[in-house]
Amino acid sequence: GENVEQHPSTLSVQEGDSAVIKCTYSDSASNYFPWYKQELGKRPQLIIDIRSNVGEKKDQRIAVTLNKTAKHFSLHITETQPEDSAVYFCAALYGGGFKTIFGAGTRLFVKA
Amino acid sequence: DTEVTQTPKHLVMGMTNKKSLKCEQHMGHRAMYWYKQKAKKPPELMFVYSYEKLSINESVPSRFSPECPNSSLLNLHLHALQPEDSALYLCASSSQGNQPQHFGDGTRLSIL
């Protein structure tokens, strides 16, 4: 069935280092992949997304890559800052683009 | 600013009570969603409305009853809930399928 696997579940980095979170999806029909950041007690917020006709997308310190053949996509955060500390969820959309399946989440800690 | 508004922010109810959660957006979005999120877990899709019609019901128990009175409003009617239904209930909207979803701040529900 539809599934999104996300790794690692926890990631601790030093301020200024890079962080990489990886996801794998199961259904090749999926063609939209958003990433959400959720701070403690707050709502998920979209930080970047990518569509299946694009291999890479960047927005300042954040980038996402997509390998359609392998059904992998990854989030890259460079020059991490303490305010990047949060839970990050990858997701894939199914069911005509309305059904969002989230990965289990990665808790990112950025140590000052 | 939160573009999707949810009320109430917190709700405590007994297992025999009837209550409703409300969600409102004025972005002209035609798709609206209800999610349930337990602590340290990703959001789980419950219902999707597209053009005010229920298009996805993820086998949610009938004690949860969604309603979409118009394109800006989404309700979730609650009746005879169980303690395991205690969670954060998130509403989201998008312009259509395969588009970014905007989340509200959620209603934190506790069932006594």
Side-chain angles (χ1 to χ4, degrees), chain A residues 23-74:
Chain A
C23 290
T24 303
Y25 61 100
S26 60
D27 189 343
S28 55
S30 186
N31 57 19
Y32 176 61
F33 307 92
W35 285 87
Y36 290 90
K37 174 183 180 183
Q38 189 173 28
E39 296 177 70
L40 190 62
K42 298 198 173 179
R43 61 191 168 97
Q45 288 193 285
L46 181 76
I47 55 171
I48 196 166
D49 55 10
I50 192 166
R51 298 185 184 278
S52 57
N53 59 348
V54 174
E56 183 176 2
K57 184 176 177 181
K58 284 185 180 179
D59 183 3
Q60 300 182 327
R61 296 187 296 110
I62 294 173
V64 57
T65 58
L66 172 65
N67 181 330
K68 277 179 57 179
T69 304
K71 292 188 274 189
H72 290 168
F73 58 114
S74 300

Side-chain angles (χ1 to χ4, degrees), chain B:
Chain B
D1 284 345
T2 303
E3 297 165 311
V4 177
T5 304
Q6 289 187 244
T7 55
K9 293 191 185 306
H10 302 276
L11 179 61
V12 179
M13 58 187 286
M15 289 190 284
T16 58
N17 291 157
K18 284 186 181 181
K19 295 285 185 184
S20 297
L21 309 185
K22 296 186 183 302
C23 175
E24 190 169 3
Q25 58 89 13
H26 293 289
M27 294 178 282
H29 288 174
R30 303 314 300 264
M32 296 186 77
Y33 311 78
W34 280 115
Y35 290 89
K36 174 183 178 180
Q37 187 176 26
K38 300 283 270 186
K40 299 188 179 181
K41 296 290 186 183
E44 288 179 42
L45 184 66
M46 299 174 72
F47 302 105
V48 180
Y49 274 83
S50 176
Y51 288 86
E52 299 151 56
K53 286 187 170 35
L54 183 65
S55 61
I56 295 177
N57 176 342
E58 287 289 276
S59 302
V60 179
S62 59
R63 57 186 184 269
F64 294 92
S65 175
E67 178 196 19
C68 189
N70 60 55
S71 59
S72 300
L73 292 173
L74 186 65
N75 298 322
L76 186 63
H77 303 297
L78 315 173
H79 175 54
L81 294 196
Q82 304 297 307
E84 60 265 28
D85 296 323
S86 297
L88 179 68
Y89 287 83
L90 292 161
C91 174
S93 71
S94 66
S95 55
Q96 53 185 317
N98 281 327
Q99 294 298 323
Q101 291 181 23
H102 299 250
F103 284 85
D105 288 331
T107 294
R108 192 162 296 282
L109 177 66
S110 297
I111 307 300
L112 300 179

